[in-house]
């Protein structure tokens, strides 16, 4: 190697170490050990509530969970007293659109730039975390704005939950995940549009190239889109099999937006990891999902908010009409899926309604047949399994991230307490503490 080349390499290595040192200095890990005194601790695996527990945290992870005594506190431990609260693991929302808001529906959304939507995402990330959701799976964002948001959170520049992100969702030309509001002369196509087996293979690889943690596809038409039918299948079975094969080989899971029964069936047969919405799910689709272990991520509370507010938001009449047809049907069919024993993970479609209201989903799930514990498990251990992070989160256990929330009362008796989270810790850092006021 020539001297000039060696000098360049040395400078490059030195600069890398300087940048790493600066990052560590600007965003240090929580200093010292922390002990959280939990007056009540919900074991989300068993449903048992344990009294007076000591949760010891070091380096952003849970070290131990044992009965609390004054002697269990080591010298130098910082004590956080939640002795009058119920403590749970941080919640997960497996279906969000962090860089969008309710008013973005229809023609209003055409005037929002990618940089602007990314900044909107920074606000929504904070609101979501303060609502008790320490992890989200973002399933669809224009221009990789969710990738930028995830990276900013990981760098400590923005406050927000852990994020797994999909970037632009894959969809067919003219389908739910295309941009259909502009006329022909604009030649506008959404970033995730791909057709045919070769086309979808290329798009999966491209999406991963630009930072996607998972692949989101549109297996059927949708509600908040122009010119498509929610019950109509979009991608063929062969196209979806190609998507899943490439995604899984490259270490990414696949989430499939699917309202219609045929699209749900094909998506599960193709091997997707989750069905989003599932509005017209039927017995054949339920059987296929149970056979394959496919998760259902229903998004239910949005119907209440959307149908009450859509006209004031000037949502196009076509989309309101679709909502009035699809959303009530979804509740009936999803209740049947619950009773049939499909695997369920928690998701909200936040952005159809304001971010921060994610916790309202629990009460609807319980109304449709889940027990409060099952609804909580959908947002903790089940969601952790779906995301592939079961070793990192989903329960208050040694070795897991120190992602902890606390509420008043007993969520097993009144699940709406999860709409009013009063304490949030992410990775050992306190984000919100109304008990400390």
């Amino acid at each position: 190697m020539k001297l000039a080349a060696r000098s360049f390499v040395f400078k490059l290595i030195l600069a890398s170490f300087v940048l790493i040192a600066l990052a560590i200095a600007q965003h240090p890990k929580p200093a010292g050990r922390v002990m959280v005194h939990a007056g009540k601790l919900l074991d989300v695996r068993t449903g048992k509530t344990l009294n007076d527990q000591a949760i010891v945290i070091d380096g952003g992870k849970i070290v131990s969970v044992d009965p609390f005594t004054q002697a269990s506190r080591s010298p130098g431990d910082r004590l956080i007293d939640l002795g009058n609260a119920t403590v749970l693991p941080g919640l997960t929302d497996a279906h969000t659109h962090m860089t969008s808001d309710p008013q973005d529906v229809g023609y209003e959304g055409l005037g929002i730039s990618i940089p602007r939507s990314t900044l909107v995402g920074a606000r929504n990330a904070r609101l979501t975390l303060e609502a008790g959701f320490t992890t989200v799976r973002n399933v669809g964002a224009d221009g990789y704005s969710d990738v930028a948001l995830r990276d900013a959170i990981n760098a400590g520049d923005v406050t927000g939950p852990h994020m797994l992100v999909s970037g632009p969702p894959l969809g067919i030309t003219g389908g739910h995940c295309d941009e259909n509001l502009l006329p022909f002369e604009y030649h506008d196509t959404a970033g995730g549009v791909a057709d045919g087996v070769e086309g979808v293979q290329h798009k999966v690889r491209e999406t991963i190239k630009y930072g996607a943690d998972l692949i989101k596809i549109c297996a059927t038409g949708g509600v908040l889109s122009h010119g498509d039918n929610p019950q109509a299948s979009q991608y063929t079975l062969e196209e979806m099999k190609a998507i899943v094969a490439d995604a899984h080989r490259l270490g990414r899971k696949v989430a499939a937006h699917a309202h219609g029964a045929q699209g749900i069936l094909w998506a599960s047969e193709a091997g997707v990891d989750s069905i989003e919405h599932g509005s017209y799910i039927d017995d054949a689709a339920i059987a296929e999902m149970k056979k394959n272990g496919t998760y259902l991520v229903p998004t239910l509370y949005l119907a209440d908010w959307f149908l009450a507010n859509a006209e004031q938001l000037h949502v196009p009449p076509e989309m309101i009409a679709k909502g009035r047809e699809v959303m009530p049907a979804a509740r009936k069919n999803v209740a049947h899926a619950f009773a049939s024993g499909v695997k369920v993970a928690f998701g909200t479609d936040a952005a159809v309604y304001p971010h921060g209201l994610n916790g309202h989903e629990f009460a609807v799930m319980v109304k449709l047949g889940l027990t409060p514990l099952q609804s909580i498990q959908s947002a903790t251990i089940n969601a952790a399994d779906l995301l592939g992070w079961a070793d990192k989160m989903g329960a208050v256990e040694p070795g897991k991230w120190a992602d902890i929330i606390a509420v008043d009362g007993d969520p097993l008796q009144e699940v709406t307490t999860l709409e009013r989270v009063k304490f949030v810790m992410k990775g050992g850092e306190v984000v919100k503490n109304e008990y400390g006021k």
Side-chain angles (χ1 to χ4, degrees):
M1 185 183 292
K2 293 184 178 179
L3 183 61
R6 277 194 297 224
S7 175
F8 172 77
V9 171
F10 176 76
K11 290 178 181 178
L12 187 62
I13 294 171
L14 181 61
S16 298
F17 278 117
V18 170
L19 288 172
I20 292 170
L22 285 172
I24 293 172
Q26 290 172 1
H27 309 295
K29 291 287 184 183
R33 297 202 331 165
V34 175
M35 176 181 288
V36 176
H37 172 211
K40 296 181 184 298
L41 173 62
L42 177 60
D43 181 341
V44 294
R45 296 191 189 278
T46 66
K48 294 180 180 178
T49 299
L50 307 174
N51 294 323
D52 283 320
Q53 297 294 297
I55 306 164
V56 177
I57 296 160
D58 196 5
K61 291 186 177 181
I62 298 169
V63 175
S64 63
V65 182
D66 295 299
F68 176 82
T69 65
Q70 290 300 327
S72 61
R73 182 180 176 189
S74 300
D77 284 358
R78 180 165 61 92
L79 178 65
I80 298 175
D81 190 2
L82 302 176
N84 295 318
T86 299
V87 173
L88 303 86
L91 304 171
T92 295
D93 188 336
H95 191 119
T96 66
H97 299 280
M98 300 286 281
T99 58
S100 298
D101 276 336
Q103 59 268 30
D104 299 349
V105 174
Y107 287 96
E108 291 292 326
L110 296 176
I112 302 172
S113 68
I114 301 303
R116 183 69 180 99
S117 65
T118 308
L119 293 172
V120 165
R123 180 200 65 212
N124 291 336
R126 175 180 53 80
L127 292 172
T128 302
L129 181 58
E130 290 178 352
F133 289 81
T134 53
T135 301
V136 301
R137 190 179 63 158
N138 203 74
V139 284
D142 292 338
Y144 299 92
S145 53
D146 56 352
V147 172
L149 178 60
R150 176 203 64 196
D151 292 349
I153 291 170
N154 290 345
D157 300 328
V158 171
T159 299
H162 307 288
M163 291 186 68
L164 288 175
V165 303
S166 73
L170 274 63
I172 66 168
T173 298
H176 176 62
C177 290
D178 198 359
E179 180 51 79
N180 301 329
L181 291 172
L182 293 170
F184 165 77
E185 55 263 34
Y186 287 92
H187 299 289
D188 189 38
T189 301
V193 169
D195 300 304
V197 169
E198 289 186 4
V200 298
Q201 287 176 324
H202 174 78
K203 187 59 68 172
V204 167
R205 297 167 190 179
E206 178 183 270
T207 305
I208 292 171
K209 171 184 176 179
Y210 291 118
D213 300 305
L214 69 140
I215 303 300
K216 161 76 177 297
I217 67 172
C218 290
T220 73
V223 175
L224 300 182
S225 49
H226 170 64
D228 60 329
N229 181 351
Q231 296 200 55
S233 301
Q234 295 193 347
Y235 275 129
T236 64
L237 177 59
E238 289 71 25
E239 287 170 322
M240 287 193 281
K241 283 182 175 179
I243 290 169
V244 172
D246 261 32
H248 284 179
R249 189 178 68 254
L250 296 172
R252 269 62 171 189
K253 295 194 174 190
V254 181
H257 158 105
H259 288 289
Q262 182 67 73
I264 297 170
L265 179 69
W266 279 353
S268 180
E269 184 180 344
V272 304
D273 299 281
S274 63
I275 297 294
E276 314 298 305
H277 314 303
S279 301
Y280 292 96
I281 191 168
D282 62 10
D283 286 334
I286 289 169
E288 187 71 21
M289 290 176 65
K290 291 178 70 175
K291 181 183 78 173
N292 299 325
T294 313
Y295 271 96
L296 174 64
V297 183
T299 53
L300 301 162
Y301 169 70
L302 64 83
D304 296 335
W305 196 92
F306 175 81
L307 295 175
N309 293 277
E311 291 183 0
Q312 295 92 310
L313 290 172
H314 305 293
V315 174
E318 171 199 5
M319 299 178 191
I320 295 176
K322 286 199 284 185
R324 287 173 176 162
E325 178 181 342
V326 174
M327 292 172 181
R331 294 202 171 185
K332 175 184 175 182
N333 295 321
V334 167
H336 177 59
F338 286 169
S340 301
V342 297
K343 292 164 62 176
V344 179
F346 185 100
T348 67
D349 217 356
V352 175
Y353 64 87
H355 296 267
L357 301 181
N358 313 58
H360 287 70
E361 188 79 17
F362 290 104
V364 185
M365 297 176 86
V366 171
K367 182 179 180 181
L368 296 185
L370 295 188
T371 67
L373 178 61
Q374 287 173 328
S375 73
I376 293 168
Q377 288 173 332
S378 78
T380 52
I381 53 175
N382 290 10
D385 180 54
L386 171 59
L387 271 58
W389 278 358
D391 60 331
K392 304 176 188 295
M393 49 168 266
V396 180
E397 296 170 347
K400 300 282 200 298
W401 288 331
D403 296 345
I404 295 170
I405 67 168
V407 297
D408 290 338
D410 183 356
L412 296 182
Q413 297 299 317
E414 184 46 75
V415 78
T416 59
T417 59
L418 296 174
E419 298 170 15
R420 301 176 294 278
V421 173
K422 292 195 170 183
F423 175 90
V424 180
M425 172 184 281
K426 178 198 169 193
E429 295 185 342
V430 176
V431 176
K432 175 181 179 179
N433 187 3
E434 295 185 7
Y435 297 109
K437 292 181 179 179

